[in-house]
Structure formats: C-alpha cells, structure tokens
Amino acid sequence: IDKIFVSSDSIDIIKIAKREKVNYIIRPKKLAQKNSLELDAWKHAIKHIKKKKLIFDYFLSLPPTSPLKSTKDVKKLIYYFKNNRSDITLTVCKSHKSPFFNMVFKNKKNKVKLINKKKVNQNKIFEITTVGYIAKVDYILKTKNLLSGSVNSIEIPRERAIDIDDEYDFKLAKLFYDAKK
C-alpha cells in the first residue's frame, strides 16, 4: 500500500485526516447518502486521485463501517487478490440463515407470502461484508455492477464482519470490541 486516502463528506473526519497528515478526498454529499452506491464513491475517489497524476492499478477499500476487521483479514484479502486473477476480491461471511427460509414479502394489508420455497444448501450461502474490497482500477471505472466481472472472495468470521448501519449494529460491534480487550 503506497498511499492512503480518506474519503468523506464529514468536516470533522477531514479535520482528523489533516491533523494526522493523511490524504483526504472531500466526498460530494450526493455520494454520502444512505442510498448512495459505494461504487460511485470509489469512482469519484479514483478520478480525484488520477487528477493528481498519481498512477495506480489497484484500489483497496476498507470501509469504516466494519471496524472489527483485523490486519490479518486485510493481508489475506490482498494476498488472495494478488494470487487469483479476478477483477475484484471482496469479503464474505457465512450466512446465519437461508434467504428462502422464513423470508416473506409483506403487503400493505400485512398479508405475507413466502419469497421462494426452494431448498438451498445452507453451507453455500454467504453474505457480502464491508470488511474490505480490492479491485483493478479499470474494472471499477468501467463497471456498473461490482458483481458483473470476475469476482472472488475470502471468508471472514461473522464476529469481525459486523457492518454498522444503525444504533443496534453499533452496540453489537462495541460489545464484540470490548470483549476482545
């Protein structure tokens, strides 16, 4: 890893990056919304870095919403990507439930209907995590869907794959973090 950049729309986070002498990218508000695609933020970051005439072939994203990742996880992600020809390698964890078991659609009248009655081998179902992603820069710039190319993954234990999206996730992550101390 030659250079590290923090991409954020938060003035407080940018101030910390400046104080710690870390490169930063001011992310446009439209790329920092709940429904914003991470891929679009990556494209913005890559274009910003390329404007600075920095040349790089690979892009590693380590979202802060998965704070329990370990150095070992990141090294494994990089190693696997380097040794397996793919456009992108991402992190996954075993799913704790089948998407076809007890999952229902609910209409406005609170009526429910099973999504699908297919039997699925539970051992083959994984969830994409936000622990990390590494990809070819050209792939990121060209793709409209992260999973459209040659995609590999490494498995991360569920307790390190917590993705903080709300207060409940934060409390759960804090519980695991405190238990590690």
PDB file of all heavy atoms in Angstrom, residues 98-119:
ATOM      1  N   SER A  98     -30.931 -18.975   5.670  1.00  0.00           N
ATOM      2  CA  SER A  98     -31.180 -19.063   4.246  1.00  0.00           C
ATOM      3  C   SER A  98     -32.112 -17.928   3.825  1.00  0.00           C
ATOM      4  O   SER A  98     -33.069 -17.616   4.527  1.00  0.00           O
ATOM      5  CB  SER A  98     -31.840 -20.401   3.913  1.00  0.00           C
ATOM      6  OG  SER A  98     -32.350 -20.380   2.600  1.00  0.00           O
ATOM      7  N   PRO A  99     -31.867 -17.336   2.669  1.00  0.00           N
ATOM      8  CA  PRO A  99     -32.781 -16.287   2.210  1.00  0.00           C
ATOM      9  C   PRO A  99     -34.148 -16.847   1.809  1.00  0.00           C
ATOM     10  O   PRO A  99     -35.084 -16.104   1.595  1.00  0.00           O
ATOM     11  CB  PRO A  99     -32.058 -15.700   0.996  1.00  0.00           C
ATOM     12  CG  PRO A  99     -31.163 -16.779   0.534  1.00  0.00           C
ATOM     13  CD  PRO A  99     -30.762 -17.559   1.754  1.00  0.00           C
ATOM     14  N   PHE A 100     -34.252 -18.162   1.744  1.00  0.00           N
ATOM     15  CA  PHE A 100     -35.507 -18.785   1.336  1.00  0.00           C
ATOM     16  C   PHE A 100     -36.259 -19.418   2.504  1.00  0.00           C
ATOM     17  O   PHE A 100     -37.276 -20.051   2.319  1.00  0.00           O
ATOM     18  CB  PHE A 100     -35.256 -19.845   0.263  1.00  0.00           C
ATOM     19  CG  PHE A 100     -34.542 -19.280  -0.923  1.00  0.00           C
ATOM     20  CD1 PHE A 100     -33.284 -19.719  -1.263  1.00  0.00           C
ATOM     21  CD2 PHE A 100     -35.124 -18.285  -1.703  1.00  0.00           C
ATOM     22  CE1 PHE A 100     -32.625 -19.197  -2.360  1.00  0.00           C
ATOM     23  CE2 PHE A 100     -34.472 -17.753  -2.802  1.00  0.00           C
ATOM     24  CZ  PHE A 100     -33.222 -18.208  -3.125  1.00  0.00           C
ATOM     25  N   PHE A 101     -35.729 -19.272   3.721  1.00  0.00           N
ATOM     26  CA  PHE A 101     -36.377 -19.879   4.872  1.00  0.00           C
ATOM     27  C   PHE A 101     -36.925 -18.788   5.783  1.00  0.00           C
ATOM     28  O   PHE A 101     -36.179 -17.955   6.283  1.00  0.00           O
ATOM     29  CB  PHE A 101     -35.381 -20.753   5.645  1.00  0.00           C
ATOM     30  CG  PHE A 101     -35.976 -21.457   6.819  1.00  0.00           C
ATOM     31  CD1 PHE A 101     -36.845 -22.519   6.634  1.00  0.00           C
ATOM     32  CD2 PHE A 101     -35.695 -21.044   8.107  1.00  0.00           C
ATOM     33  CE1 PHE A 101     -37.409 -23.165   7.711  1.00  0.00           C
ATOM     34  CE2 PHE A 101     -36.240 -21.684   9.193  1.00  0.00           C
ATOM     35  CZ  PHE A 101     -37.108 -22.750   8.989  1.00  0.00           C
ATOM     36  N   ASN A 102     -38.200 -18.773   5.952  1.00  0.00           N
ATOM     37  CA  ASN A 102     -38.868 -17.782   6.799  1.00  0.00           C
ATOM     38  C   ASN A 102     -38.729 -16.340   6.301  1.00  0.00           C
ATOM     39  O   ASN A 102     -38.912 -15.410   7.077  1.00  0.00           O
ATOM     40  CB  ASN A 102     -38.390 -17.855   8.255  1.00  0.00           C
ATOM     41  CG  ASN A 102     -38.920 -19.071   8.955  1.00  0.00           C
ATOM     42  OD1 ASN A 102     -39.885 -19.694   8.528  1.00  0.00           O
ATOM     43  ND2 ASN A 102     -38.287 -19.440  10.053  1.00  0.00           N
ATOM     44  N   MET A 103     -38.388 -16.176   5.040  1.00  0.00           N
ATOM     45  CA  MET A 103     -38.308 -14.833   4.477  1.00  0.00           C
ATOM     46  C   MET A 103     -39.569 -14.610   3.652  1.00  0.00           C
ATOM     47  O   MET A 103     -39.926 -15.435   2.808  1.00  0.00           O
ATOM     48  CB  MET A 103     -37.067 -14.676   3.604  1.00  0.00           C
ATOM     49  CG  MET A 103     -35.765 -14.891   4.382  1.00  0.00           C
ATOM     50  SD  MET A 103     -35.542 -13.728   5.742  1.00  0.00           S
ATOM     51  CE  MET A 103     -34.937 -12.342   4.855  1.00  0.00           C
ATOM     52  N   VAL A 104     -40.238 -13.490   3.905  1.00  0.00           N
ATOM     53  CA  VAL A 104     -41.539 -13.246   3.287  1.00  0.00           C
ATOM     54  C   VAL A 104     -41.636 -11.834   2.725  1.00  0.00           C
ATOM     55  O   VAL A 104     -40.904 -10.937   3.137  1.00  0.00           O
ATOM     56  CB  VAL A 104     -42.696 -13.460   4.297  1.00  0.00           C
ATOM     57  CG1 VAL A 104     -42.767 -14.896   4.757  1.00  0.00           C
ATOM     58  CG2 VAL A 104     -42.572 -12.527   5.490  1.00  0.00           C
ATOM     59  N   PHE A 105     -42.533 -11.677   1.763  1.00  0.00           N
ATOM     60  CA  PHE A 105     -42.957 -10.358   1.306  1.00  0.00           C
ATOM     61  C   PHE A 105     -44.170  -9.981   2.143  1.00  0.00           C
ATOM     62  O   PHE A 105     -44.987 -10.836   2.477  1.00  0.00           O
ATOM     63  CB  PHE A 105     -43.401 -10.395  -0.166  1.00  0.00           C
ATOM     64  CG  PHE A 105     -42.271 -10.547  -1.129  1.00  0.00           C
ATOM     65  CD1 PHE A 105     -42.118 -11.722  -1.850  1.00  0.00           C
ATOM     66  CD2 PHE A 105     -41.371  -9.514  -1.345  1.00  0.00           C
ATOM     67  CE1 PHE A 105     -41.090 -11.868  -2.757  1.00  0.00           C
ATOM     68  CE2 PHE A 105     -40.339  -9.654  -2.252  1.00  0.00           C
ATOM     69  CZ  PHE A 105     -40.199 -10.830  -2.955  1.00  0.00           C
ATOM     70  N   LYS A 106     -44.306  -8.710   2.471  1.00  0.00           N
ATOM     71  CA  LYS A 106     -45.457  -8.247   3.242  1.00  0.00           C
ATOM     72  C   LYS A 106     -46.135  -7.143   2.445  1.00  0.00           C
ATOM     73  O   LYS A 106     -45.484  -6.187   2.023  1.00  0.00           O
ATOM     74  CB  LYS A 106     -44.988  -7.732   4.598  1.00  0.00           C
ATOM     75  CG  LYS A 106     -46.091  -7.301   5.516  1.00  0.00           C
ATOM     76  CD  LYS A 106     -45.508  -6.895   6.856  1.00  0.00           C
ATOM     77  CE  LYS A 106     -45.997  -5.514   7.165  1.00  0.00           C
ATOM     78  NZ  LYS A 106     -45.477  -4.937   8.366  1.00  0.00           N
ATOM     79  N   ASN A 107     -47.452  -7.260   2.251  1.00  0.00           N
ATOM     80  CA  ASN A 107     -48.166  -6.213   1.527  1.00  0.00           C
ATOM     81  C   ASN A 107     -48.729  -5.181   2.496  1.00  0.00           C
ATOM     82  O   ASN A 107     -48.539  -5.278   3.719  1.00  0.00           O
ATOM     83  CB  ASN A 107     -49.245  -6.809   0.606  1.00  0.00           C
ATOM     84  CG  ASN A 107     -50.415  -7.421   1.361  1.00  0.00           C
ATOM     85  OD1 ASN A 107     -50.616  -7.172   2.550  1.00  0.00           O
ATOM     86  ND2 ASN A 107     -51.188  -8.243   0.677  1.00  0.00           N
ATOM     87  N   LYS A 108     -49.422  -4.198   1.965  1.00  0.00           N
ATOM     88  CA  LYS A 108     -49.960  -3.102   2.790  1.00  0.00           C
ATOM     89  C   LYS A 108     -50.998  -3.566   3.797  1.00  0.00           C
ATOM     90  O   LYS A 108     -51.248  -2.891   4.789  1.00  0.00           O
ATOM     91  CB  LYS A 108     -50.537  -2.010   1.894  1.00  0.00           C
ATOM     92  CG  LYS A 108     -49.471  -1.283   1.111  1.00  0.00           C
ATOM     93  CD  LYS A 108     -50.074  -0.233   0.206  1.00  0.00           C
ATOM     94  CE  LYS A 108     -48.981   0.405  -0.611  1.00  0.00           C
ATOM     95  NZ  LYS A 108     -49.488   1.354  -1.587  1.00  0.00           N
ATOM     96  N   LYS A 109     -51.629  -4.705   3.545  1.00  0.00           N
ATOM     97  CA  LYS A 109     -52.651  -5.234   4.460  1.00  0.00           C
ATOM     98  C   LYS A 109     -52.063  -6.236   5.448  1.00  0.00           C
ATOM     99  O   LYS A 109     -52.778  -6.993   6.082  1.00  0.00           O
ATOM    100  CB  LYS A 109     -53.772  -5.891   3.658  1.00  0.00           C
ATOM    101  CG  LYS A 109     -54.536  -4.909   2.788  1.00  0.00           C
ATOM    102  CD  LYS A 109     -55.630  -5.618   2.020  1.00  0.00           C
ATOM    103  CE  LYS A 109     -56.352  -4.618   1.133  1.00  0.00           C
ATOM    104  NZ  LYS A 109     -57.366  -5.265   0.301  1.00  0.00           N
ATOM    105  N   ASN A 110     -50.721  -6.250   5.558  1.00  0.00           N
ATOM    106  CA  ASN A 110     -49.998  -7.146   6.455  1.00  0.00           C
ATOM    107  C   ASN A 110     -50.118  -8.615   6.102  1.00  0.00           C
ATOM    108  O   ASN A 110     -49.860  -9.483   6.925  1.00  0.00           O
ATOM    109  CB  ASN A 110     -50.391  -6.920   7.922  1.00  0.00           C
ATOM    110  CG  ASN A 110     -49.857  -5.615   8.440  1.00  0.00           C
ATOM    111  OD1 ASN A 110     -48.761  -5.194   8.072  1.00  0.00           O
ATOM    112  ND2 ASN A 110     -50.629  -4.947   9.269  1.00  0.00           N
ATOM    113  N   LYS A 111     -50.501  -8.915   4.887  1.00  0.00           N
ATOM    114  CA  LYS A 111     -50.512 -10.292   4.403  1.00  0.00           C
ATOM    115  C   LYS A 111     -49.092 -10.640   3.978  1.00  0.00           C
ATOM    116  O   LYS A 111     -48.387  -9.814   3.398  1.00  0.00           O
ATOM    117  CB  LYS A 111     -51.461 -10.462   3.208  1.00  0.00           C
ATOM    118  CG  LYS A 111     -52.905 -10.115   3.504  1.00  0.00           C
ATOM    119  CD  LYS A 111     -53.564 -11.231   4.259  1.00  0.00           C
ATOM    120  CE  LYS A 111     -55.039 -10.898   4.447  1.00  0.00           C
ATOM    121  NZ  LYS A 111     -55.696 -11.779   5.346  1.00  0.00           N
ATOM    122  N   VAL A 112     -48.681 -11.868   4.269  1.00  0.00           N
ATOM    123  CA  VAL A 112     -47.334 -12.280   3.909  1.00  0.00           C
ATOM    124  C   VAL A 112     -47.361 -13.449   2.933  1.00  0.00           C
ATOM    125  O   VAL A 112     -48.312 -14.232   2.907  1.00  0.00           O
ATOM    126  CB  VAL A 112     -46.492 -12.666   5.145  1.00  0.00           C
ATOM    127  CG1 VAL A 112     -46.258 -11.480   6.040  1.00  0.00           C
ATOM    128  CG2 VAL A 112     -47.128 -13.799   5.907  1.00  0.00           C
ATOM    129  N   LYS A 113     -46.282 -13.535   2.160  1.00  0.00           N
ATOM    130  CA  LYS A 113     -46.144 -14.603   1.185  1.00  0.00           C
ATOM    131  C   LYS A 113     -44.674 -14.991   1.151  1.00  0.00           C
ATOM    132  O   LYS A 113     -43.790 -14.116   1.124  1.00  0.00           O
ATOM    133  CB  LYS A 113     -46.599 -14.098  -0.188  1.00  0.00           C
ATOM    134  CG  LYS A 113     -46.625 -15.147  -1.249  1.00  0.00           C
ATOM    135  CD  LYS A 113     -47.186 -14.541  -2.544  1.00  0.00           C
ATOM    136  CE  LYS A 113     -47.330 -15.626  -3.584  1.00  0.00           C
ATOM    137  NZ  LYS A 113     -47.894 -15.094  -4.817  1.00  0.00           N
ATOM    138  N   LEU A 114     -44.384 -16.294   1.180  1.00  0.00           N
ATOM    139  CA  LEU A 114     -43.006 -16.753   1.131  1.00  0.00           C
ATOM    140  C   LEU A 114     -42.319 -16.244  -0.130  1.00  0.00           C
ATOM    141  O   LEU A 114     -42.923 -16.211  -1.203  1.00  0.00           O
ATOM    142  CB  LEU A 114     -42.931 -18.284   1.150  1.00  0.00           C
ATOM    143  CG  LEU A 114     -43.095 -18.944   2.517  1.00  0.00           C
ATOM    144  CD1 LEU A 114     -43.131 -20.460   2.358  1.00  0.00           C
ATOM    145  CD2 LEU A 114     -41.976 -18.546   3.455  1.00  0.00           C
ATOM    146  N   ILE A 115     -41.055 -15.873   0.005  1.00  0.00           N
ATOM    147  CA  ILE A 115     -40.294 -15.393  -1.141  1.00  0.00           C
ATOM    148  C   ILE A 115     -40.104 -16.515  -2.153  1.00  0.00           C
ATOM    149  O   ILE A 115     -40.324 -16.347  -3.321  1.00  0.00           O
ATOM    150  CB  ILE A 115     -38.929 -14.822  -0.698  1.00  0.00           C
ATOM    151  CG1 ILE A 115     -39.160 -13.528   0.067  1.00  0.00           C
ATOM    152  CG2 ILE A 115     -38.004 -14.608  -1.886  1.00  0.00           C
ATOM    153  CD1 ILE A 115     -37.916 -12.913   0.629  1.00  0.00           C
ATOM    154  N   ASN A 116     -39.670 -17.661  -1.668  1.00  0.00           N
ATOM    155  CA  ASN A 116     -39.406 -18.789  -2.558  1.00  0.00           C
ATOM    156  C   ASN A 116     -39.379 -20.051  -1.711  1.00  0.00           C
ATOM    157  O   ASN A 116     -38.835 -20.042  -0.612  1.00  0.00           O
ATOM    158  CB  ASN A 116     -38.070 -18.587  -3.264  1.00  0.00           C
ATOM    159  CG  ASN A 116     -37.885 -19.511  -4.433  1.00  0.00           C
ATOM    160  OD1 ASN A 116     -38.355 -20.637  -4.428  1.00  0.00           O
ATOM    161  ND2 ASN A 116     -37.184 -19.022  -5.438  1.00  0.00           N
ATOM    162  N   LYS A 117     -39.865 -21.137  -2.232  1.00  0.00           N
ATOM    163  CA  LYS A 117     -39.896 -22.385  -1.469  1.00  0.00           C
ATOM    164  C   LYS A 117     -38.725 -23.301  -1.816  1.00  0.00           C
ATOM    165  O   LYS A 117     -38.700 -24.441  -1.394  1.00  0.00           O
ATOM    166  CB  LYS A 117     -41.226 -23.101  -1.722  1.00  0.00           C
ATOM    167  CG  LYS A 117     -42.404 -22.349  -1.167  1.00  0.00           C
ATOM    168  CD  LYS A 117     -43.688 -23.102  -1.389  1.00  0.00           C
ATOM    169  CE  LYS A 117     -44.853 -22.273  -0.852  1.00  0.00           C
ATOM    170  NZ  LYS A 117     -46.130 -22.893  -1.052  1.00  0.00           N
ATOM    171  N   LYS A 118     -37.751 -22.787  -2.565  1.00  0.00           N
ATOM    172  CA  LYS A 118     -36.609 -23.603  -2.955  1.00  0.00           C
ATOM    173  C   LYS A 118     -35.850 -24.104  -1.737  1.00  0.00           C
ATOM    174  O   LYS A 118     -35.688 -23.400  -0.754  1.00  0.00           O
ATOM    175  CB  LYS A 118     -35.634 -22.770  -3.798  1.00  0.00           C
ATOM    176  CG  LYS A 118     -35.969 -22.709  -5.255  1.00  0.00           C
ATOM    177  CD  LYS A 118     -35.113 -21.687  -5.961  1.00  0.00           C
ATOM    178  CE  LYS A 118     -33.732 -22.143  -6.265  1.00  0.00           C
ATOM    179  NZ  LYS A 118     -33.035 -21.203  -7.156  1.00  0.00           N
ATOM    180  N   LYS A 119     -35.348 -25.308  -1.850  1.00  0.00           N
ATOM    181  CA  LYS A 119     -34.435 -25.831  -0.823  1.00  0.00           C
ATOM    182  C   LYS A 119     -33.033 -25.408  -1.238  1.00  0.00           C
ATOM    183  O   LYS A 119     -32.647 -25.540  -2.392  1.00  0.00           O
ATOM    184  CB  LYS A 119     -34.522 -27.349  -0.751  1.00  0.00           C
ATOM    185  CG  LYS A 119     -35.884 -27.832  -0.302  1.00  0.00           C
ATOM    186  CD  LYS A 119     -35.768 -28.517   0.995  1.00  0.00           C
ATOM    187  CE  LYS A 119     -37.170 -28.959   1.380  1.00  0.00           C
ATOM    188  NZ  LYS A 119     -37.289 -29.414   2.672  1.00  0.00           N
TER     189      LYS A 119
END
